[in-house]
């Protein structure tokens, strides 16, 4: 039976939190790994694996170069789909999340960038993400140049490197079962913020 209450999204987030903890206990190699699917304005989709870096009631955050392919697509068409797959949890669990995307605040991005290893900070400056690279040697030279530029001082966040937050308006929990008789629960929210919980056929 469907319901339409704003508490349903809180329930979905609590369910995610419990499964996220289970993934750690189950020994998933990286429970933060998630597929991010985007689409260009012409409808052409693309997907890649990134790492979840923060999540709360505001949404799910990952970081990237805003001028790379996924960054460009999410600025042109600010909607994304996320997929977590934890095969070691129970009989296998998938969590699907969809929603609009916003860029995190400069303060939030600065704080996260400052927490990264210095090598990763240097790499963020040296990389022209998704652009053609002539050779690995060219990239290595760029790394050396950036290291010299910031030698002896903190590495600031590049101006076009930031976080993207997916605000969930749909969350589905897929629980694996024998004979492909899986259990699926969908939480979806309307524009007014009212959310419904529904069971789906496998």
């Amino acid at each position: 039976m469907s319901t339409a209450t704003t508490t349903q999204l809180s329930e979905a987030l609590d369910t995610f939190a419990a499964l996220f903890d289970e993934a750690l206990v189950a020994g998933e190699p990286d429970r933060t790994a998630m597929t991010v699917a985007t689409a260009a304005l012409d409808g052409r989709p693309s997907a890649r694996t990134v790492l979840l870096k923060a999540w709360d009631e505001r949404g799910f955050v990952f970081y990237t170069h805003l001028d790379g392919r996924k960054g460009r697509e999410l600025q042109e068409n600010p909607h994304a789909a996320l997929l977590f797959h934890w095969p070691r949890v129970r009989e296998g669990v998938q969590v699907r999340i969809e929603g609009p995307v916003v860029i995190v605040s400069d303060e939030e991005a600065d704080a996260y960038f400052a927490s990264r290893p210095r090598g990763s900070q240097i790499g963020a400056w040296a990389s022209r993400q998704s652009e053609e690279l002539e050779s690995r040697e060219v990239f290595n030279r760029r790394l050396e140049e950036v290291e010299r530029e910031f030698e002896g001082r903190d590495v600031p966040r590049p101006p076009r490197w930031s976080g993207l937050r997916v605000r969930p308006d749909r969350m589905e929990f897929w629980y694996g079962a024998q004979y492909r008789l899986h259990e699926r629960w969908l939480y979806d929210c309307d524009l007014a913020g009212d959310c419904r919980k529904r069971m789906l056929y496998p």
Side-chain angles (χ1 to χ4, degrees):
M1 176 176 173
S2 297
T3 61
T5 68
T6 56
T7 62
Q8 295 296 350
L9 182 57
S10 295
E11 178 182 305
L13 293 172
D14 288 344
T15 300
F16 179 86
L19 292 171
F20 196 65
D21 289 343
E22 286 187 43
L24 178 63
V25 174
E28 290 291 349
D30 191 343
R31 62 179 175 159
T32 70
M34 60 183 184
T35 300
V36 177
T38 61
L41 289 178
D42 64 3
R44 185 184 182 95
S46 61
R48 73 289 288 161
T49 300
V50 302
L51 301 180
L52 176 70
K53 293 301 180 181
W55 71 276
D56 55 25
E57 68 281 355
R58 297 172 298 165
F60 297 78
V61 178
F62 63 95
Y63 287 84
T64 190
H65 283 275
L66 297 179
D67 294 329
R69 180 176 178 182
K70 62 182 173 295
R72 292 194 312 269
E73 290 183 349
L74 287 171
Q75 289 170 91
E76 295 170 355
N77 179 19
H79 298 273
L82 309 177
L83 172 64
F84 294 87
H85 180 212
W86 298 315
R88 297 182 182 183
V89 176
R90 306 185 190 185
E91 298 298 317
V93 169
Q94 296 183 61
V95 182
R96 300 174 61 196
I97 299 166
E98 299 174 19
V101 178
V102 295
I103 299 173
V104 305
S105 68
D106 287 343
E107 292 77 14
E108 190 172 351
D110 287 342
Y112 173 70
F113 189 81
S115 75
R116 302 184 88 206
R118 188 176 179 88
S120 297
Q121 295 174 337
I122 294 293
W125 277 94
S127 176
R128 295 171 176 167
Q129 192 174 80
S130 301
E131 293 187 16
E132 183 176 348
L133 176 62
E134 295 177 9
S135 67
R136 186 69 188 189
E137 288 71 24
V138 170
F139 185 49
N140 289 340
R141 287 198 298 271
R142 286 183 58 81
L143 288 168
E144 293 170 359
E145 291 168 1
V146 175
E147 286 175 345
R148 286 194 298 270
E149 180 179 353
F150 294 112
E151 186 175 359
R153 60 191 179 99
D154 291 340
V155 182
R157 177 174 62 91
R160 294 292 293 164
W161 189 98
S162 191
L164 294 163
R165 174 175 283 111
V166 181
R167 293 177 167 171
D169 56 22
R170 291 172 63 94
M171 294 183 68
E172 181 187 328
F173 298 92
W174 179 102
Y175 302 93
Q178 283 188 329
Y179 310 116
R180 304 197 64 78
L181 303 177
H182 314 306
E183 183 176 335
R184 298 172 62 188
W185 289 96
L186 174 66
Y187 298 78
D188 60 348
C189 304
D190 61 24
L191 294 177
D194 290 328
C195 301
R196 297 188 302 160
K197 178 183 179 181
R198 295 178 286 160
M199 180 178 271
L200 305 179
Y201 278 100

